[in-house]
Amino acid sequence: MTALPEGFRAHVANIGIKDDTTDFAVIVADEPCTASAVFTRSRFVGPSVTISREHVADGSLQAIAVISKNANVATGPDGHDDAIALADGVAKSVGCAIDDVLIASTGVIGRRYPIDKVRAHLASMPAPDVVDADPVAEAIMTTDTHPKTASASVGDATIVGVAKGVGMIEPDMATMLAFVLTDADVALPDLDQRFRAVVDRTFNCVSVDTDTSTSDTAAILASGKAGAVDLGQFEAALEAVCLDLTRQLASDGEGAETLIVVTVDSARDDAQAKRVAKTIVNSPLVKTAVHGADPNWGRIAMAIGKCSDDTDIDPNRVVIRIGEQELFPAPADDDALADLERYLAGDEVLIHVSLQIAAGTSTVYGCDLTDGYVRINADYTT
């Protein structure tokens, strides 16, 4: 059990989108919370994103409502009205203002909510009484193989996060769906600044397949029930929660068998390091080499070379390693390559690239590419 922080309760249910799983979750706070959220930069977003952007703009939220297995994207004015009806129904059920409700949706694009089923459930929805984050994490899943939660303590306060997403993941200011709750008392400017910084170092450093979702949302709500905390310690604990979720998301990539961690250091700056690291972790040839336990470092070199605008990258200075084994420029002997094959067959693989330019660094997270990914996405709507 992952207990929700003080001041939060939840409700989960099946509202009929799919018969065999929970597909609806509401998280509600006892009173309005300090809140921050970031969203996808996709140009093809759904109303859950456009409405929630408006609702969180004042830095206050009291409830989060999530419908899974249906994205309600590209559904026109009717889909927008359905999303408003969802927010309004949740607000009336839990007793808060409609503009204090963040809504999120995930699933198939191009299909409206089964709005009659949504309205019927909201009309009779019981008072939220779930105090465990695990059922919430399960209710928001789509093709995830398991629910994803993480928690940490800071002073007398608790930070708890839930997340979902294993495909269509290449975040741009958010990632999939991720919700963080805390009972720490943190002023809005501090909460917003630190949350965005942590998101950039964690959720924005994960990629499964280079595809940015139309519905990506990451939000944090702070109830303040546990009182003030040291802000530096708060940010460290928040990062620990978000990094834990990031690693879970990458490890559970659709069809994935291996977590790939790519660290690029000695870059011009952190932005360049992340750009190069993302290019490596997103390369289908690198992903398939890892899947096949093939220490083909030439594919890593190829991926670095794709960053053609980074003219300060000098191949003669770059160092490429898999695990702790240097492969370029110093070649590995046959025994070292045999050891690497065994290493690559493990659950987690580190690729380490040093650009030898300056002090920039970044670590990103992804997964191997398997036939399971193809099968899952070939059959997704059928």
Side-chain angles (χ1 to χ4, degrees), residues 29-349:
D30 294 341
E31 54 194 38
C33 296
T34 305
S36 175
V38 288
F39 303 91
T40 181
R41 286 186 174 183
S42 168
R43 300 303 303 163
F44 221 110
V45 299
S48 62
V49 171
T50 57
I51 292 168
S52 293
R53 279 176 177 153
E54 296 174 0
H55 287 188
V56 76
D58 64 352
S60 176
L61 291 172
Q62 190 169 352
I64 298 170
V66 186
I67 287 181
S68 65
K69 290 81 174 178
N70 183 310
N72 190 36
V73 170
T75 50
D78 290 335
H80 184 272
D81 290 346
D82 292 345
I84 291 291
L86 169 63
D88 184 58
V90 169
K92 290 177 178 175
S93 179
V94 303
C96 72
I98 186 174
D99 57 5
D100 275 341
V101 178
L102 181 145
I103 58 174
S105 298
T106 176
V108 180
I109 292 171
R111 298 180 183 175
R112 287 178 60 189
Y113 293 148
I115 193 60
D116 291 342
K117 293 180 180 179
V118 174
R119 291 181 186 275
H121 183 79
L122 291 174
S124 60
M125 191 177 91
D129 59 0
V130 174
V131 294
D132 181 2
D134 296 340
V136 177
E138 183 174 1
I140 67 176
M141 297 193 315
T142 48
T143 55
D144 303 63
T145 65
H146 60 83
K148 299 169 179 65
T149 65
S151 64
S153 297
V154 52
D156 294 329
T158 301
I159 303 172
V160 173
V162 299
K164 64 79 52 182
V166 292
M168 201 186 289
I169 297 177
E170 168 65 24
D172 192 359
M173 293 305 296
T175 180
M176 306 72 62
L177 300 183
F179 308 113
V180 181
L181 312 172
T182 181
D183 47 15
D185 184 6
V186 183
L188 178 59
D190 293 317
L191 185 73
D192 184 66
Q193 182 257 326
R194 293 172 188 274
F195 182 60
R196 289 176 183 274
V198 166
V199 164
D200 198 46
R201 295 194 298 265
T202 58
F203 294 138
N204 272 347
C205 287
V206 64
S207 181
V208 168
D209 50 20
T210 80
D211 285 334
T212 299
S213 171
T214 58
S215 305
D216 291 347
T217 300
I220 184 169
L221 276 67
S223 72
K225 296 283 188 179
V229 295
D230 179 88
L231 290 178
Q233 294 177 6
F234 174 78
E235 183 171 344
L238 176 61
E239 183 161 356
V241 168
C242 294
L243 181 58
D244 189 337
L245 292 172
T246 294
R247 290 176 60 88
Q248 291 185 57
L249 292 164
S251 297
D252 197 28
E254 289 174 337
E257 297 177 2
T258 306
L259 171 66
I260 302 175
V261 180
V262 180
T263 294
V264 174
D265 59 23
S266 302
R268 180 197 327 130
D269 51 32
D270 292 351
Q272 181 187 53
K274 180 186 283 190
R275 184 164 54 252
V276 174
K278 279 287 193 78
T279 302
I280 295 168
V281 84
N282 282 333
S283 166
L285 290 178
V286 172
K287 288 173 171 288
T288 49
V290 171
H291 178 61
D294 179 7
N296 187 347
W297 61 267
R299 295 183 175 183
I300 301 170
M302 172 278 301
I304 299 168
K306 289 163 62 177
C307 299
S308 55
D309 290 337
D310 291 277
T311 56
D312 52 349
I313 295 177
D314 181 353
N316 294 314
R317 301 177 66 186
V318 171
V319 179
I320 298 173
R321 303 177 183 88
I322 296 178
E324 297 182 356
Q325 178 62 53
E326 182 175 329
L327 296 166
F328 176 84
D333 60 25
D334 290 344
D335 289 341
L337 291 175
D339 289 341
L340 271 185
E341 289 182 18
R342 289 187 286 271
Y343 172 74
L344 286 163
D347 295 333
E348 180 173 335
V349 167

